Coordinates of all heavy atoms in Angstrom, one line a residue:
S1 N 0.9 -1.2 0.0 CA 0.0 0.0 0.0 C 0.9 1.2 0.0 O 2.0 1.2 0.4 CB -0.9 0.0 1.2 OG -0.1 0.3 2.4
P2 N 0.4 2.4 -0.5 CA 1.2 3.6 -0.5 C 1.7 3.9 0.9 O 2.9 4.4 1.1 CB 0.3 4.7 -1.0 CG -0.7 3.9 -1.8 CD -0.9 2.6 -1.2
R3 N 0.9 3.7 2.0 CA 1.3 4.0 3.3 C 2.5 3.1 3.8 O 3.5 3.6 4.3 CB 0.1 3.8 4.3 CG 0.5 4.0 5.7 CD -0.7 3.9 6.6 NE -0.4 4.0 8.0 CZ -0.6 3.1 8.9 NH1 -1.3 2.0 8.6 NH2 -0.2 3.3 10.1
T4 N 2.4 1.8 3.5 CA 3.4 0.9 3.8 C 4.7 1.2 3.1 O 5.8 1.2 3.6 CB 3.0 -0.6 3.6 OG1 1.8 -0.8 4.3 CG2 4.1 -1.6 4.0
H5 N 4.6 1.4 1.8 CA 5.8 1.8 1.0 C 6.4 3.0 1.5 O 7.7 3.1 1.7 CB 5.4 2.0 -0.5 CG 6.6 2.2 -1.3 ND1 7.1 3.4 -1.7 CD2 7.5 1.3 -1.9 CE1 8.1 3.3 -2.4 NE2 8.4 2.0 -2.6
S6 N 5.6 4.0 1.9 CA 6.2 5.3 2.5 C 6.9 5.0 3.8 O 8.0 5.5 4.1 CB 5.1 6.2 2.7 OG 5.5 7.4 3.4
Q7 N 6.4 4.0 4.6 CA 7.0 3.7 5.9 C 8.4 3.0 5.6 O 9.4 3.2 6.3 CB 6.1 2.9 6.7 CG 4.9 3.6 7.3 CD 3.9 2.8 8.0 OE1 3.8 1.6 7.7 NE2 3.2 3.3 8.9
V8 N 8.4 2.1 4.6 CA 9.6 1.4 4.3 C 10.7 2.5 3.8 O 11.9 2.4 4.3 CB 9.4 0.4 3.2 CG1 10.7 -0.2 2.6 CG2 8.5 -0.8 3.7
V9 N 10.3 3.4 3.0 CA 11.2 4.4 2.5 C 11.7 5.3 3.6 O 12.9 5.5 3.7 CB 10.5 5.3 1.4 CG1 11.4 6.5 1.1 CG2 10.3 4.4 0.2
R10 N 10.9 5.7 4.5 CA 11.3 6.5 5.7 C 12.3 5.7 6.6 O 13.2 6.3 7.1 CB 10.1 7.0 6.5 CG 9.4 8.2 5.9 CD 8.5 8.9 6.9 NE 7.6 8.0 7.6 CZ 6.4 7.8 7.2 NH1 5.9 8.3 6.1 NH2 5.6 7.0 8.0
L11 N 12.0 4.4 6.8 CA 12.9 3.6 7.6 C 14.3 3.5 7.0 O 15.3 3.5 7.6 CB 12.3 2.3 7.9 CG 13.1 1.3 8.9 CD1 13.5 2.0 10.1 CD2 12.3 0.1 9.2
L12 N 14.2 3.3 5.6 CA 15.5 3.2 4.9 C 16.3 4.5 5.0 O 17.5 4.5 5.2 CB 15.2 2.9 3.4 CG 14.9 1.4 3.1 CD1 14.4 1.3 1.7 CD2 16.1 0.5 3.3
E13 N 15.6 5.6 5.0 CA 16.3 6.9 5.2 C 16.9 7.0 6.5 O 18.0 7.5 6.7 CB 15.3 8.1 4.9 CG 14.9 8.2 3.5 CD 13.8 9.2 3.2 OE1 13.2 9.7 4.2 OE2 13.4 9.5 2.1
D14 N 16.2 6.6 7.5 CA 16.7 6.6 8.9 C 18.0 5.7 9.0 O 19.0 6.0 9.6 CB 15.7 6.1 9.9 CG 14.6 7.1 10.2 OD1 14.8 8.3 9.7 OD2 13.6 6.8 10.8
L15 N 17.9 4.5 8.4 CA 19.0 3.6 8.4 C 20.2 4.2 7.7 O 21.4 4.1 8.2 CB 18.7 2.3 7.7 CG 17.8 1.3 8.5 CD1 17.2 0.2 7.6 CD2 18.6 0.7 9.7
Q16 N 20.0 4.9 6.6 CA 21.1 5.4 5.8 C 21.7 6.7 6.5 O 22.8 7.1 6.2 CB 20.7 5.7 4.4 CG 20.4 4.5 3.6 CD 19.6 4.7 2.4 OE1 19.1 5.8 2.1 NE2 19.4 3.7 1.6
G17 N 21.0 7.2 7.5 CA 21.5 8.3 8.2 C 22.4 8.0 9.4 O 22.8 8.8 10.2
W18 N 22.8 6.7 9.5 CA 23.6 6.2 10.7 C 24.9 7.1 10.9 O 25.3 7.2 12.1 CB 23.9 4.7 10.6 CG 24.9 4.4 9.5 CD1 24.6 3.9 8.3 CD2 26.3 4.4 9.6 NE1 25.7 3.7 7.5 CE2 26.8 4.0 8.3 CE3 27.2 4.8 10.5 CZ2 28.1 3.9 8.0 CZ3 28.6 4.7 10.2 CH2 29.0 4.3 9.0
P19 N 25.6 7.6 9.9 CA 26.8 8.3 10.2 C 26.6 9.6 11.1 O 27.5 10.0 11.8 CB 27.4 8.8 8.9 CG 26.8 7.8 7.9 CD 25.4 7.5 8.5
S20 N 25.4 10.1 11.2 CA 25.1 11.3 12.0 C 24.5 10.9 13.3 O 24.1 11.8 14.1 CB 24.2 12.2 11.2 OG 22.9 11.6 11.0
W21 N 24.4 9.7 13.7 CA 23.8 9.3 15.0 C 24.7 9.6 16.1 O 26.0 9.6 16.0 CB 23.5 7.8 15.0 CG 22.4 7.3 14.1 CD1 21.7 8.1 13.3 CD2 22.0 6.0 13.9 NE1 20.8 7.3 12.5 CE2 21.0 6.0 13.0 CE3 22.5 4.8 14.4 CZ2 20.4 4.8 12.5 CZ3 21.8 3.6 14.0 CH2 20.8 3.6 13.1
D22 N 24.1 9.9 17.3 CA 24.9 10.1 18.5 C 25.6 8.8 18.9 O 24.9 7.8 19.1 CB 24.0 10.6 19.6 CG 24.7 10.8 20.9 OD1 25.9 10.6 21.0 OD2 24.0 11.2 21.9
P23 N 26.9 8.8 19.0 CA 27.6 7.5 19.2 C 27.5 6.9 20.6 O 28.1 5.9 20.9 CB 29.0 7.8 18.8 CG 29.2 9.3 19.1 CD 27.8 9.9 18.8
S24 N 26.9 7.6 21.6 CA 26.8 7.1 22.9 C 26.0 5.7 22.9 O 25.0 5.6 22.2 CB 26.2 8.1 23.9 OG 24.8 8.2 23.7
E25 N 26.5 4.8 23.7 CA 25.9 3.5 23.7 C 24.4 3.5 23.9 O 23.6 2.8 23.3 CB 26.6 2.6 24.7 CG 26.2 1.2 24.7 CD 27.0 0.3 25.6 OE1 28.2 0.3 25.5 OE2 26.4 -0.4 26.4
K26 N 23.9 4.3 24.9 CA 22.5 4.4 25.3 C 21.7 4.8 24.1 O 20.7 4.2 23.7 CB 22.3 5.3 26.4 CG 20.9 5.4 26.9 CD 20.7 6.3 28.1 CE 19.2 6.4 28.4 NZ 18.9 7.4 29.4
N27 N 22.2 5.9 23.4 CA 21.4 6.4 22.2 C 21.4 5.4 21.1 O 20.4 5.3 20.4 CB 21.9 7.7 21.8 CG 21.7 8.8 22.8 OD1 20.6 8.8 23.5 ND2 22.5 9.8 22.9
I28 N 22.5 4.7 20.8 CA 22.6 3.7 19.8 C 21.6 2.6 20.1 O 20.9 2.1 19.2 CB 24.0 3.2 19.6 CG1 24.9 4.3 19.0 CG2 24.0 2.0 18.7 CD1 24.7 4.7 17.6
E29 N 21.6 2.1 21.3 CA 20.7 1.1 21.7 C 19.2 1.4 21.5 O 18.5 0.7 21.0 CB 21.0 0.6 23.1 CG 20.2 -0.6 23.6 CD 20.5 -1.9 22.8 OE1 21.6 -1.9 22.3 OE2 19.7 -2.8 22.8
E30 N 18.9 2.7 21.9 CA 17.5 3.1 21.7 C 17.1 3.2 20.2 O 16.1 2.9 19.8 CB 17.3 4.5 22.4 CG 17.3 4.4 23.9 CD 17.3 5.8 24.6 OE1 17.2 6.8 23.8 OE2 17.5 5.8 25.8
K31 N 18.1 3.7 19.4 CA 17.9 3.9 18.0 C 17.7 2.5 17.4 O 16.7 2.3 16.6 CB 19.1 4.6 17.4 CG 18.9 5.0 16.0 CD 18.1 6.3 15.9 CE 18.3 6.9 14.6 NZ 17.5 8.1 14.4
L32 N 18.5 1.5 17.7 CA 18.4 0.2 17.2 C 17.1 -0.5 17.6 O 16.4 -1.2 16.9 CB 19.6 -0.7 17.6 CG 20.9 -0.4 16.9 CD1 22.0 -1.2 17.6 CD2 20.8 -0.7 15.5
R33 N 16.7 -0.3 18.8 CA 15.4 -0.9 19.3 C 14.3 -0.3 18.5 O 13.4 -1.1 18.1 CB 15.2 -0.5 20.8 CG 14.1 -1.3 21.4 CD 14.0 -1.1 23.0 NE 15.2 -1.4 23.7 CZ 16.0 -0.5 24.3 NH1 15.6 0.7 24.3 NH2 17.0 -0.9 24.9
G34 N 14.3 1.0 18.2 CA 13.3 1.6 17.4 C 13.2 1.1 16.0 O 12.2 0.8 15.4
I35 N 14.4 0.9 15.4 CA 14.5 0.4 14.1 C 14.0 -1.1 14.0 O 13.3 -1.5 13.1 CB 16.0 0.4 13.6 CG1 16.3 1.9 13.2 CG2 16.3 -0.5 12.4 CD1 17.7 2.2 12.9
H36 N 14.4 -1.9 15.0 CA 14.0 -3.3 15.1 C 12.4 -3.3 15.1 O 11.8 -4.1 14.4 CB 14.5 -4.0 16.3 CG 16.0 -4.4 16.1 ND1 16.8 -4.8 17.1 CD2 16.7 -4.5 15.0 CE1 17.9 -5.1 16.7 NE2 18.0 -4.9 15.4
T37 N 11.9 -2.5 16.0 CA 10.4 -2.5 16.1 C 9.7 -2.1 14.8 O 8.8 -2.8 14.4 CB 10.0 -1.6 17.3 OG1 10.6 -2.0 18.5 CG2 8.5 -1.5 17.5
R38 N 10.2 -1.1 14.2 CA 9.6 -0.6 13.0 C 9.7 -1.6 11.9 O 8.8 -1.9 11.1 CB 10.2 0.7 12.6 CG 9.8 1.9 13.5 CD 10.6 3.2 13.3 NE 10.5 3.7 12.0 CZ 11.4 4.6 11.5 NH1 12.4 5.0 12.3 NH2 11.3 5.0 10.3
A39 N 11.0 -2.2 11.8 CA 11.2 -3.2 10.7 C 10.4 -4.4 10.9 O 9.8 -5.0 10.0 CB 12.7 -3.5 10.7
R40 N 10.3 -4.9 12.2 CA 9.5 -6.1 12.5 C 8.0 -5.9 12.1 O 7.4 -6.7 11.5 CB 9.7 -6.4 14.0 CG 9.0 -7.7 14.4 CD 9.3 -8.1 15.8 NE 9.2 -7.0 16.8 CZ 10.2 -6.5 17.4 NH1 11.4 -6.9 17.3 NH2 10.0 -5.5 18.3
N41 N 7.5 -4.7 12.4 CA 6.1 -4.4 12.1 C 5.9 -4.4 10.6 O 4.9 -4.8 10.1 CB 5.6 -3.1 12.8 CG 5.5 -3.2 14.3 OD1 5.4 -4.3 14.8 ND2 5.6 -2.1 15.0
L42 N 6.8 -3.7 9.9 CA 6.7 -3.6 8.4 C 6.8 -5.0 7.8 O 6.0 -5.3 6.9 CB 7.8 -2.7 7.9 CG 7.5 -1.2 8.1 CD1 8.8 -0.4 7.7 CD2 6.4 -0.8 7.2
L43 N 7.7 -5.8 8.2 CA 7.9 -7.1 7.7 C 6.7 -8.0 7.9 O 6.2 -8.8 7.1 CB 9.2 -7.8 8.2 CG 10.4 -7.2 7.7 CD1 11.6 -7.7 8.5 CD2 10.6 -7.2 6.2
R44 N 6.1 -8.0 9.1 CA 4.9 -8.7 9.4 C 3.7 -8.2 8.5 O 2.9 -9.0 8.1 CB 4.5 -8.6 10.9 CG 5.4 -9.4 11.8 CD 5.0 -9.3 13.2 NE 5.9 -10.0 14.1 CZ 6.1 -9.7 15.3 NH1 5.6 -8.7 15.9 NH2 7.0 -10.5 16.0
R45 N 3.7 -6.9 8.3 CA 2.6 -6.4 7.5 C 2.7 -6.9 6.0 O 1.6 -7.1 5.4 CB 2.7 -4.8 7.5 CG 1.4 -4.2 6.9 CD 1.4 -2.7 7.1 NE 1.7 -2.3 8.5 CZ 2.3 -1.2 8.8 NH1 2.7 -0.4 7.9 NH2 2.5 -0.9 10.1

């Protein structure tokens, strides 16, 4: 669906922005947890 495709594209943009992420371990872990959750939901969909 257009909504799902848009969500995939936005998640890909977030993934490709990794060089600008805050390198502190806590922030990386939170970022990865969010990416896992979003990716898992999209893949199930």
Side-chain angles (χ1 to χ4, degrees):
S1 71
R3 178 177 176 234
T4 301
H5 186 266
S6 174
Q7 289 173 336
V8 169
V9 169
R10 279 197 311 266
L11 183 51
L12 284 169
E13 289 170 354
D14 287 349
L15 284 166
Q16 292 164 353
W18 69 263
S20 64
W21 293 358
D22 179 356
S24 71
E25 186 173 305
K26 181 180 179 188
N27 290 330
I28 292 290
E29 185 64 23
E30 290 173 6
K31 190 82 161 172
L32 287 173
R33 192 176 302 115
I35 285 171
H36 283 163
T37 300
R38 291 167 59 196
R40 187 172 47 247
N41 290 337
L42 284 169
L43 293 171
R44 285 183 183 151
R45 195 173 305 148

